[in-house]
């Protein structure tokens, strides 16, 4: 609509200017005729000039066509520059239209595409135009480098000004949803209250919604907002907040934006359960069993990495994502769904069984174990035996749970005695 209007303006301006030029030619092209003869038509003046009417007609017509052609060409260049300035003024004032025209429909993708096209054309038009003119003027490329540099710098300054003053993302009353991970469950609110909080705009594209069409909007369980049918196709997905807070894996209707967001983070380990929900292990028994196996794998993998004979055992860990055995309590949405379905625990148990078999038969790994200094049992114990063993928080030594007393750790006692002895040696020497 804007381009059609501007082209119509250009056509009207060209028609008016051509009419004025013809009028000027009629007034100034009498070629020696009297003032009284100036009211005669233009064709009559040509025939009455003198001598050979044919030669005078053809010569004058050639001059007229040449002059009119040059005039039209110059006008066309001028109007093209005018058209470009009008377009960029429109883009520059786009945010005022969004703010003060209630019927203006803004879409972020359309605004970004317009801005990208206008910026590309504005930056390259000056350089390409001068280069093309130089190629047509001579066989070799002759470009005024100083002028090209000045045009390019001026174009860059205009682009930066447009970028600074234009509102690229949303309006004052609406902004498209951002990529964010939501950990809270939205409270159930009435549709009218939520739509009023959205200023009667679609949360996805910013389309104004008439009050009588509010009932047609679709609710997104992830963002807690209402969307139009173009932005909400009734796609379904698990909601992270419901999984982490209520261990609820049912699928709910979400908007297209939320669906893409949840699909993009489906495999990413971004949920540290103790930081998000400390009571989740108590609510889900299958998750608590996976937690115990994960802790054992975490410690046994550290031991296997120090053994040069454990290559085959370490390959077993490739069956699961690395974060499950390198970090504690870190899961992705896919991991949580597999835990709920009972698919992850058997795989982890098989990996743990193969790892323990290697440790039991490897002399190098056995040499890195601990002997409980309380009961003096000769059986080697390891930190990954979380059900029967416990580590001292100070010296990291391993003991049986039934034997360990934090206030009387033998290793801590020896370390403290050795430190006291070293501190007393300089005073005794003096």
């Amino acid at each position: 609509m804007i381009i059609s209007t501007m082209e119509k303006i250009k056509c009207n301006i060209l028609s008016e200017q051509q009419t004025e030029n013809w009028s000027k030619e009629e007034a100034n092209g009498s070629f020696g005729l009297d003032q009284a003869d100036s009211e005669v038509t233009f064709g009559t003046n040509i025939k009455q000039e003198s001598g050979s009417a044919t030669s005078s007609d053809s010569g004058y017509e050639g001059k007229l066509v040449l002059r009119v052609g040059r005039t039209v060409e110059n006008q066309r260049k001028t109007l093209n520059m005018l058209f470009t300035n009008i377009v960029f003024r429109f883009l520059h004032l786009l945010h005022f239209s969004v703010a003060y025209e209630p019927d203006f429909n803004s879409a972020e993708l359309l605004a970004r595409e317009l801005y990208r096209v206008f910026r590309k054309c504005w930056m390259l038009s000056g350089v390409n135009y001068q280069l093309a003119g130089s190629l047509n003027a001579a066989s070799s490329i002759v470009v005024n480098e100083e002028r090209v540099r000045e045009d390019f710098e001026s174009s860059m300054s205009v682009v930066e000004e447009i970028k600074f003053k234009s509102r690229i993302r949303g309006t004052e009353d609406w902004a498209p949803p951002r990529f964010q991970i939501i950990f809270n469950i939205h409270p159930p609110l009435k549709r009218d209250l939520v739509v009023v909080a959205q200023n009667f705009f679609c949360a996805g594209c910013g389309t104004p919604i008439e009050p009588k069409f509010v009932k047609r909007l679709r609710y997104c369980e992830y963002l807690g907002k209402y969307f139009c049918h173009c932005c909400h196709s009734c796609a379904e997905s698990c909601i992270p907040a419901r999984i982490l807070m209520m261990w609820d894996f049912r699928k709910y209707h979400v908007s297209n934006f939320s669906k893409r967001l949840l699909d993009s983070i489906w495999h990413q380990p971004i949920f540290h359960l103790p930081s998000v929900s400390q009571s989740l292990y108590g609510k889900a028994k299958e998750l608590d069993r996976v937690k115990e196996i994960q802790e054992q794998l975490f410690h046994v993998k550290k031991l296997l990495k120090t053994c040069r004979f454990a290559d085959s055992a370490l390959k077993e860990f490739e069956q699961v994502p690395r974060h499950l055995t390198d970090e504690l309590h870190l899961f992705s949405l896919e991991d949580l769904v597999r835990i709920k379905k009972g698919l992850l625990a058997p795989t982890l148990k098989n990996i743990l069984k193969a790892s323990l078999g290697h440790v039991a038969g490897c002399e190098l790994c056995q040499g890195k174990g601990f002997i409980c200094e309380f009961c003096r049992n000769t059986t080697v114990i390891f930190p990954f035996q979380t059900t029967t063993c416990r580590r001292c928080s100070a010296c990291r030594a391993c003991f049986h749970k039934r034997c360990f007393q934090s206030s009387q750790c033998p290793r801590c006692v020896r370390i403290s005695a050795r430190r006291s002895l070293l501190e007393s040696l300089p005073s005794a020497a003096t």
Side-chain angles (χ1 to χ4, degrees):
M1 182 183 65
I2 295 170
I3 294 176
S4 175
T5 304
M6 292 183 176
E7 290 292 339
K8 186 176 181 180
I9 294 174
K10 288 170 60 178
C11 181
N12 293 337
I13 295 175
L14 279 174
S15 301
E16 293 176 359
Q17 291 186 354
Q18 287 182 2
T19 304
E20 292 177 0
N21 291 335
W22 280 96
S23 301
K24 291 180 181 179
E25 292 294 343
E26 289 180 0
N28 299 330
S30 58
F31 295 93
L33 296 179
D34 296 336
Q35 183 69 22
D37 296 333
S38 61
E39 297 179 358
V40 187
T41 62
F42 189 68
T44 307
N45 288 336
I46 297 175
K47 293 180 180 180
Q48 291 178 355
E49 183 179 359
S50 61
S52 176
T54 304
S55 61
S56 62
D57 289 349
S58 59
Y60 183 75
E61 287 175 358
K63 293 179 181 179
L64 180 61
V65 170
L66 180 62
R67 294 179 63 185
V68 170
R70 290 179 178 177
T71 304
V72 172
E73 183 178 358
N74 294 334
Q75 291 173 353
R76 191 167 297 165
K77 291 180 180 179
T78 304
L79 289 176
N80 286 334
M81 295 177 63
L82 176 63
F83 176 74
T84 303
N85 292 333
I86 292 174
V87 170
F88 274 93
R89 286 179 179 274
F90 167 76
L91 184 64
H92 175 69
L93 299 175
L94 180 61
H95 64 284
F96 293 106
S97 300
V98 173
Y100 295 105
E101 293 185 11
D103 296 331
F104 189 88
N105 185 8
S106 174
E108 184 182 19
L109 295 179
L110 177 61
R112 289 182 181 276
E113 183 65 19
L114 282 173
Y115 178 75
R116 185 185 65 81
V117 173
F118 280 127
R119 178 181 180 183
K120 181 179 179 181
C121 295
W122 180 268
M123 291 174 61
L124 299 180
S125 59
V127 178
N128 292 338
Y129 177 77
Q130 187 167 358
L131 181 60
S134 302
L135 289 173
N136 294 331
S139 59
S140 61
I141 300 177
V142 180
V143 181
N144 189 344
E145 297 181 359
E146 184 67 22
R147 182 176 178 184
V148 172
R149 184 181 61 81
E150 293 177 357
D151 292 343
F152 182 77
E153 291 178 354
S154 62
S155 300
M156 287 297 296
S157 62
V158 172
V159 169
E160 293 299 328
E161 183 180 359
I162 294 174
K163 185 177 180 181
F164 177 77
K165 293 185 178 181
S166 299
R167 186 180 298 278
I168 300 300
R169 184 178 178 83
T171 67
E172 293 182 354
D173 299 327
W174 167 86
R178 297 182 180 274
F179 190 98
Q180 56 183 341
I181 310 300
I182 300 176
F183 293 100
N184 62 293
I185 300 175
H186 299 287
L189 298 175
K190 292 184 178 180
R191 180 189 298 261
D192 296 339
L193 297 178
V194 179
V195 175
V196 169
Q198 296 177 197
N199 296 319
F200 288 93
F201 288 110
C202 168
C205 62
T207 302
I209 306 298
E210 294 293 335
K212 60 182 179 181
F213 297 117
V214 168
K215 293 184 179 180
R216 298 186 180 182
L217 296 178
R218 294 172 177 174
Y219 185 70
C220 174
E221 292 285 346
Y222 180 72
L223 293 175
K225 296 181 179 180
Y226 284 91
F227 293 77
C228 65
H229 288 199
C230 295
C231 301
H232 197 309
S233 303
C234 293
E236 294 183 345
S237 179
C238 298
I239 307 300
R242 293 186 174 273
I243 295 176
L244 299 174
M245 300 297 175
M246 306 172 61
W247 201 239
D248 180 10
F249 287 85
R250 289 177 296 178
K251 292 187 176 182
Y252 295 86
H253 292 293
V254 295
S255 63
N256 300 340
F257 173 84
S258 301
K259 179 64 175 176
R260 291 193 298 269
L261 186 153
L262 295 174
D263 289 344
S264 65
I265 66 171
W266 185 256
H267 305 282
Q268 298 181 13
I270 57 178
F271 300 102
H272 188 259
L273 298 189
S275 302
V276 178
S277 178
Q278 298 181 356
S279 61
L280 187 59
Y281 286 113
K283 296 179 180 178
K285 295 181 179 180
E286 57 268 35
L287 181 61
D288 191 56
R289 288 194 296 266
V290 170
K291 169 194 154 185
E292 295 177 358
I293 303 174
Q294 186 187 31
E295 290 178 351
Q296 297 180 51
L297 288 174
F298 175 75
H299 294 292
V300 75
K301 188 176 183 179
K302 285 186 175 181
L303 178 62
L304 294 177
K305 285 183 177 180
T306 62
C307 178
R308 62 178 181 270
F309 306 118
D311 293 338
S312 60
L314 287 173
K315 286 184 179 179
E316 298 291 333
F317 286 83
E318 297 178 359
Q319 301 179 30
V320 295
R322 182 177 298 179
H323 64 269
L324 289 175
T325 55
D326 288 348
E327 299 288 341
L328 292 176
H329 316 295
L330 191 64
F331 299 94
S332 65
L333 289 176
E334 182 187 24
D335 299 332
L336 296 175
V337 172
R338 292 181 64 190
I339 293 173
K340 177 65 176 178
K341 294 181 179 180
L343 302 176
L344 186 58
T347 305
L348 295 178
K349 285 182 180 180
N350 293 333
I351 299 174
L352 180 61
K353 183 178 179 180
S355 303
L356 295 180
H358 169 81
V359 173
C362 178
E363 295 182 358
L364 187 58
C365 293
Q366 287 291 317
K368 297 175 183 178
F370 294 85
I371 299 294
C372 181
E373 298 185 34
F374 288 100
C375 63
R376 299 294 179 176
N377 194 328
T378 58
T379 303
V380 180
I381 58 177
F382 295 91
F384 58 79
Q385 298 172 341
T386 55
T387 56
T388 59
C389 300
R390 181 178 175 181
R391 302 191 74 175
C392 176
S393 58
C395 64
R396 308 303 295 169
C398 190
F399 308 94
H400 291 119
K401 280 188 176 181
R402 64 178 183 271
C403 304
F404 180 76
Q405 297 178 6
S406 59
S407 59
Q408 299 179 2
C409 175
R411 189 176 181 184
C412 291
V413 172
R414 292 198 307 271
I415 293 174
S416 179
R418 188 182 301 113
R419 187 179 296 113
S420 301
L421 178 61
L422 291 176
E423 293 175 353
S424 62
L425 285 178
S427 59
T430 55

